[in-house]
Amino acid sequence: LYAFLILDALSGAMKDVAVDGIMVEEGQRHGITGKIQSIQWGSLTLATVITGIAGGWIAEHFDYHLSFLIVALFPAMVACLALFYKEQPAPDVNAKAAVSFKGILDNKRLLISMLFLFLFWFSPAFGVPVSFKLRDEFHFSRLTLGLLSTVGSACSILGAVWYWRVNRTINIKKWLIISVLVSGSSTFAYLYLTPASIWVYTVVFGIFSMAIQLIVMDFSARICPKGKEATTFALITSV
């Protein structure tokens, strides 16, 4: 079991780096990094909503082997789709240089941007105490918690749709500043938590959190140097 889990984690990491490398490369070429990011994260959130509902229904009515069989089909579908992607040749890019960190770690603009991203995401996770409060103090049922999560995911999709529409027209530097202010305000808002306010927070912050994440991810994609797209984006998201 451990061997299969490790293999799954490694293949997942390789897939992420490859897909994000394509996203940055194609996005920079056509000026649509924001649009691709919106589609990526919107699709991911929609899949989470569908699997949350369908997975629960399958767990109640069928044996767990069916779940594993269905899950196994999707990587096979992805592999088939990958055969249709025709990568543009890049004769001016040296293969060894593409995976080297030289030119990345001595780029001051890139390092400052990575420092900003690190500080932006460096915050204590308060999901556990919030979950404790919802279950033990507000006595939310599992069904209510599941509905709350579904509503949050649906609102996140709205945030992805919004950014898909406006990503090429907004001033990304200005919106990065707004993102910091909104993120800080949303964190402080959880100091006042009631059975009613959690629904408001889920709707409002569900939309804003996805929009903010896409702004930051789009910014990350835009600053990647050409020829090192996958390496740089993987490094930025790791930081």
Side-chain angles (χ1 to χ4, degrees), residues 6-59:
I6 291 170
L7 185 63
D8 179 62
L10 286 172
S11 63
M14 292 167 67
K15 173 261 300 174
D16 276 350
V17 173
V19 170
D20 284 332
I22 294 170
M23 175 273 298
V24 178
E25 193 174 326
E26 298 289 350
Q28 287 185 350
R29 182 179 292 127
H30 303 289
I32 53 171
T33 51
K35 283 189 180 294
I36 299 177
Q37 288 277 10
S38 300
I39 294 168
Q40 278 185 320
W41 286 94
S43 301
L44 179 64
T45 309
L46 179 61
T48 304
V49 174
I50 294 171
T51 52
I53 298 169
W57 184 78
I58 290 171

Side-chain angles (χ1 to χ4, degrees), residues 214-235:
L214 287 171
I215 290 167
V216 174
M217 297 295 279
D218 188 15
F219 170 70
S220 303
R222 293 187 189 189
I223 63 176
C224 291
K226 292 188 182 299
K228 296 175 181 282
E229 292 90 349
T231 305
T232 309
F233 196 82
L235 180 64

Side-chain angles (χ1 to χ4, degrees), residues 102-216:
K102 188 178 181 181
I104 297 176
L105 298 180
D106 56 1
N107 186 326
K108 289 184 179 180
R109 179 174 177 268
L110 191 59
L111 290 176
I112 291 171
S113 301
M114 289 168 68
L115 177 63
F116 165 78
L117 293 169
F118 174 81
L119 295 173
F120 182 83
W121 289 114
F122 185 81
S123 60
F126 54 90
V128 173
V130 169
S131 297
F132 170 79
K133 198 171 181 68
L134 296 179
R135 287 198 313 265
D136 292 31
E137 289 190 26
F138 299 162
H139 303 293
F140 278 15
S141 66
R142 289 184 179 180
L143 182 63
T144 306
L145 290 171
L147 180 61
L148 194 68
S149 176
T150 303
V151 169
S153 297
C155 292
S156 295
I157 294 170
L158 293 177
V161 171
W162 173 81
Y163 195 68
W164 181 82
R165 291 176 62 88
V166 306
N167 69 91
R168 299 186 75 173
T169 59
I170 64 172
N171 182 322
I172 199 163
K173 182 178 180 180
K174 173 185 172 183
W175 276 91
L176 283 171
I177 296 170
I178 294 172
S179 298
V180 172
L181 297 174
V182 172
S183 295
S185 301
S186 64
T187 303
F188 278 113
Y190 278 91
L191 293 172
Y192 176 75
L193 194 62
T194 67
S197 69
I198 187 62
W199 290 97
V200 177
Y201 295 164
T202 300
V203 172
V204 175
F205 299 148
I207 297 171
F208 274 103
S209 63
M210 176 57 78
I212 289 169
Q213 178 168 326
L214 287 171
I215 290 167
V216 174

